[in-house]
Structures are given as structure tokens and as C-alpha cells.
Amino acid sequence: MNKQPTGPGEIGWQARKSAATRDQIISAAIRCIVDLSYSKTTMIKISEKAGLSRGATLHHFPSKMDIIRAAVEYLHEKRIQAFRRSIREIPDGADMAHLAVEAYSAHLNHPIYIALFELSVAARTDNELKEILHTAQLAFDREWYETAWDLFPEWHSDRKAFDLALNLSQQLMEGMAISNFTHARQIDKKQLLTYLEEKVRELKP
Amino acid sequence: MNKQPTGPGEIGWQARKSAATRDQIISAAIRCIVDLSYSKTTMIKISEKAGLSRGATLHHFPSKMDIIRAAVEYLHEKRIQAFRRSIREIPDGADMAHLAVEAYSAHLNHPIYIALFELSVAARTDNELKEILHTAQLAFDREWYETAWDLFPEWHSDRKAFDLALNLSQQLMEGMAISNFTHARQIDKKQLLTYLEEKVRELKP
DNA sequence: CTTGTTTCAAACAGTTATGACTTTTTTCCG
DNA sequence: CGGAAAAAAGTCATAACTGTTTGAAACAAG
């Protein structure tokens, strides 16, 4: 990779390569989860996608669960980052309801969400995974709620209405995202989202 | 089981026993899917739950997929039956919105729905399973829509509003059911359901 | 009583995953 | 340049699952 000798005082010795392959492994694991499902994600498949041998992968992560653990951390970090970015980009004075709905809608079709959903479903019947997810999930939920609260100061006069609007949006949109593959019948998403935006505006104090 | 000699004209010779063990196997398979997840459902586990040997199970169903196929058929049949029964029980002149919401809510916490959900998620990355589910799912969705249409004649003047109310209810409630295990934060379900009922009443022509 | 069919049990071969262990290659630094 | 240490590759034992095959009961019918 980088053949320059470690400069004086430089922290990074070439464990940067190690960090880089670690990231490769985590990224490969997430792609496996999205493409193959959690249960079909094996060390072999991860190694193949990462372009490494099994031994190399096992050198960085002693067991499969260690990879999953790292992947969950990575996913939640990225998810919060993406959430913050998407709402920071909303211009002042814009149609907040519409843009916020749009933003969360886009998020729900992103691989990050799909991977986390796949893991959440698998966790229903896997206690070890459930425990790994629980901490990160709790942190995300709190972060999500507080970021939204800060973002919409005009709701501060009515916390109940705020909770209702937030929950309504979240639950409905997640239901819609998931129904993509739990239902054969195609629904009119646009109609539903427009209606949702309307109701959110109505709820605003 | 029944040692009486096959009576004259009687259809059922002791293939009734066969049918009974077939049902046992299907039931055991569904319990496995709910308790262990689709991917951890193996012939061995199914046989154990059914109280049979692997050979016996394999005699009735040549392969695992044949069991799954039968289970999917069984689940959709039961689901439609349960749906029809629950709405037939709604008394005339009652608060339809409330009772219908209540009924679908109950359904979403029933093992039948959990099993189908588990299978639907697994089907995302399993083409064989996807194909098995697709037909039955299509039939259920149509049945569901038409039963609802027949049940609420007062909406017949406005099909658009009907679709909106139906989709809103379905997507929101499914989102809520699923968020039980995808979110750590507990939401106020009662508030959301009450709001939903109110909106459904508003939409009624 | 015997013959053939249906139900169930058990043993077997083939495949695939995991994780421990060993060996080779690469990289760093004196 | 040369040795130490980390990274990567390869090997192995073990375990689990699938589906085939073989064998043994139960039972109806000739």
C-alpha cells in the first residue's frame, strides 16, 4: 500500500492496512447480509466478497459474530450520519413535512436500512444477535427522536402532537417499505405519502 | 387408529392416518418457523416437534421444500378463514372502524401472521420460496380487498377514499406490528390506533 | 396364509460450515 | 541486509443437514 517509512512522530504505522482490510471485511459482510440474508452469510462468502482467504478474515475477526458485531456498530453509525446529513440539507422555510417524509422514504430504501432490517428480523430468534442489536438500536432511537425534536421547534408547544406525528410517519413509512416484499399487491404509495404529509401539517400546532 | 374395516362405499380407508400425520408435520413445521426462524427450520427439528423419525417425515414429504409448500398453502387458507370469521362477527350498527382495526390488530399478533412474515422476509433472498409465496400472496391480497369492499358498502360511492383508508390502515398497522422487534423504543400504540380510527371515520363518504 | 402396499425407522454418503492450528508471505525497523 | 512481528493463506477435525437407500412392521386383499 503505502511504502513510505513511518515518519517521525507519526502515529500510523502500517496498521492502516489492517484497518483498511477490516473495513473491507465489514463492508463485504454487510453486502452479504443484504444480498444473501443473515443466515446465509458465512465466513467463506464474506471472505470471497472481500477478496481474502478465510484465514485472513479469521485473523482480523476471531469468529463470525465478531464481524457481525462490528458490522452492526458500523451500520448504526452510518445511519445516524445519513439521518443528520439529510435533515441538515433541508433548506430553511421549505416544505418541511414534504422534505422530511421524502428524506426518510429515501433512507428506507437504502442498503443500510435493509441490512438492519434483515438483522432485526433474524434477531427475533437469535438471542446473541438480539443483544448485539439492542444497545445500538436504543441509542439510535433516542438520537432519532431528539434530532427530530430539535429540528422542529415549532412543535415544542405540544409534545403529544409531536409524538403522534413522528410515530405516525415512522410506522406508516416503515410499513410501506416492508410491504414491498411482504405483499404481492402494489399499493398507491404516492397517494399515501401525500395524505401523510397533509396529516402532519394538520397536526402542527 | 381406526381399526374398523373399510365400510362399503366408504371413501376413507386408513389413509386418514396418513392425512393426520401430514397435518402433524405441517403444524410442526409452522411452529418451527415461528419459534426458530425459517433458516433454522430443518427436517430434524420438524420431525422432533412432530414426534416422528426423519424417515417417517421424509416418507410423507420427499423434500423440505415440499413441507414448506404445504405449510404456505395451509397458512393462507387459515388466514383467509380467520379474516372472514373475525369480520363476520362484527355486529350490525357497531363502530365498524374501531372493530375492524381491533380485528386486524389481533390478527397481526397471531402466529399465522408471524409465520407468514418470517417466510416473506426469507423469500427476499430465496427465489424458490419467493415463487411459492407469490401465488398464495396474490390470492390473499385480492380476497382481502374484495372482502373489505363487500363489507363496507357505505364506501362504494368513493373508491379512492376506500383505497386510501384501507391502505393507510393496513400499512400503518403492519408497520406497528413489525416495529415490535425492529425498534427498542416503545411507542404509544393506543394513541396511534385511536388516531387511525378517527381518520378512517373522516374519510368515510 | 401369503402377497403387495403403506407407514415408519435407521444407516449411509455427500456437502458445507466453523474455528483451531500451521505455514508462508509481507512489512517494519535496527 | 537480516531478524522480528504482523498479515494472509492453507490444512484439518468436527459437526450439522439433506436426501437416498435399505429394512422392518402393520394392514388390506386374494
Side-chain angles (χ1 to χ4, degrees):
Chain A
M1 298 229 108
N2 198 334
K3 293 220 174 173
Q4 296 160 16
T6 309
E10 237 183 275
I11 350 138
W13 117 90
Q14 225 145 312
R16 262 178 306 178
K17 188 182 178 186
S18 179
T21 57
R22 260 183 71 101
D23 279 358
Q24 266 182 20
I25 294 170
I26 291 174
S27 159
I30 292 170
R31 269 176 290 148
C32 279
I33 291 169
V34 171
D35 297 348
L36 307 173
S37 85
Y38 173 69
S39 63
K40 286 185 231 155
T41 294
T42 69
M43 295 288 275
I44 296 172
K45 305 268 178 60
I46 294 174
S47 304
E48 275 171 9
K49 280 216 192 218
L52 296 171
S53 74
R54 272 150 269 155
T57 306
L58 222 46
H59 168 72
H60 289 276
F61 295 96
S63 88
K64 198 173 101 173
M65 262 307 170
D66 293 308
I67 304 182
I68 301 297
R69 209 181 305 271
V72 169
E73 272 174 45
Y74 175 91
L75 283 169
H76 270 103
E77 205 174 304
K78 287 278 169 204
R79 194 185 184 192
I80 288 196
Q81 278 176 20
F83 177 57
R84 287 212 186 108
R85 193 179 335 115
S86 70
I87 57 181
R88 207 179 303 126
E89 280 167 2
I90 296 181
D92 279 1
D95 183 348
M96 293 293 247
H98 178 70
L99 291 173
V101 163
E102 197 100 309
Y104 198 57
S105 218
H107 169 65
L108 292 178
N109 287 308
H110 194 280
I112 289 179
Y113 180 74
I114 299 178
L116 281 170
F117 175 70
E118 178 75 31
L119 288 167
S120 297
V121 173
R124 186 182 69 86
T125 51
D126 185 327
N127 286 326
E128 198 177 356
L129 183 58
K130 193 184 287 181
E131 199 164 336
I132 290 174
L133 276 173
H134 188 259
T135 315
Q137 229 163 27
L138 211 75
F140 175 79
D141 284 347
R142 178 168 320 143
E143 174 77 24
W144 197 78
Y145 183 84
E146 284 175 7
T147 308
W149 179 253
D150 291 345
L151 183 69
F152 302 112
E154 63 271 33
W155 294 73
H156 285 192
S157 61
D158 189 349
R159 166 88 69 169
K160 261 224 146 40
F162 174 75
D163 286 356
L164 181 55
L166 196 70
N167 285 338
L168 175 69
S169 306
Q170 186 177 31
Q171 305 293 312
L172 177 60
M173 291 173 77
E174 290 182 8
M176 287 170 67
I178 290 160
S179 83
N180 277 335
F181 46 89
T182 56
H183 285 282
R185 181 168 65 95
Q186 277 307 309
I187 63 160
D188 188 343
K189 285 177 203 161
K190 198 144 187 182
Q191 184 195 29
L192 258 182
L193 288 182
T194 308
Y195 181 80
L196 171 64
E197 289 170 20
E198 191 187 312
K199 292 303 134 188
V200 168
R201 276 188 221 102
E202 268 179 33
L203 281 167
K204 184 149 77 170
Chain B
M1 296 229 111
N2 200 333
K3 293 221 178 173
Q4 295 160 18
T6 309
E10 233 184 279
I11 349 136
W13 115 91
Q14 226 147 310
R16 263 176 306 178
K17 187 182 179 186
S18 180
T21 57
R22 262 184 67 101
D23 279 358
Q24 266 181 20
I25 293 170
I26 291 174
S27 159
I30 293 169
R31 268 175 290 146
C32 278
I33 291 169
V34 172
D35 296 348
L36 307 173
S37 84
Y38 173 70
S39 63
K40 285 185 232 155
T41 294
T42 70
M43 296 286 275
I44 297 171
K45 304 268 179 60
I46 294 173
S47 304
E48 277 171 7
K49 280 217 192 216
L52 297 172
S53 74
R54 270 149 270 155
T57 306
L58 222 45
H59 168 74
H60 290 276
F61 297 95
S63 85
K64 197 175 105 174
M65 262 307 170
D66 293 308
I67 305 182
I68 302 297
R69 211 180 306 271
V72 168
E73 273 174 44
Y74 176 92
L75 283 169
H76 269 105
E77 205 173 305
K78 286 280 169 202
R79 195 185 183 192
I80 287 196
Q81 279 176 20
F83 177 57
R84 287 213 186 107
R85 194 181 331 117
S86 69
I87 57 180
R88 207 179 303 126
E89 280 169 0
I90 295 181
D92 280 0
D95 182 348
M96 292 293 244
H98 177 70
L99 290 173
V101 163
E102 198 101 308
Y104 198 57
S105 217
H107 169 66
L108 292 179
N109 288 308
H110 194 279
I112 290 180
Y113 179 75
I114 298 177
L116 282 170
F117 174 71
E118 179 76 30
L119 289 168
S120 298
V121 173
R124 185 180 71 84
T125 51
D126 185 325
N127 287 325
E128 197 178 356
L129 183 57
K130 194 185 286 184
E131 199 164 335
I132 291 174
L133 275 173
H134 188 259
T135 316
Q137 229 162 27
L138 211 75
F140 175 80
D141 284 348
R142 177 169 320 146
E143 174 79 24
W144 197 76
Y145 183 85
E146 285 176 6
T147 308
W149 180 254
D150 291 346
L151 183 69
F152 303 111
E154 62 272 32
W155 294 71
H156 285 192
S157 61
D158 189 348
R159 166 88 70 168
K160 262 224 147 39
F162 174 75
D163 285 356
L164 181 56
L166 196 68
N167 285 338
L168 175 68
S169 306
Q170 187 178 28
Q171 305 293 312
L172 177 60
M173 289 171 79
E174 290 182 8
M176 287 170 68
I178 290 160
S179 83
N180 277 337
F181 45 90
T182 56
H183 284 284
R185 181 169 66 96
Q186 278 307 310
I187 63 161
D188 187 341
K189 286 177 203 160
K190 198 144 189 183
Q191 184 195 28
L192 259 182
L193 287 182
T194 307
Y195 180 80
L196 171 64
E197 289 170 21
E198 191 186 312
K199 293 302 134 189
V200 168
R201 276 187 222 103
E202 268 179 32
L203 282 167
K204 185 150 76 170

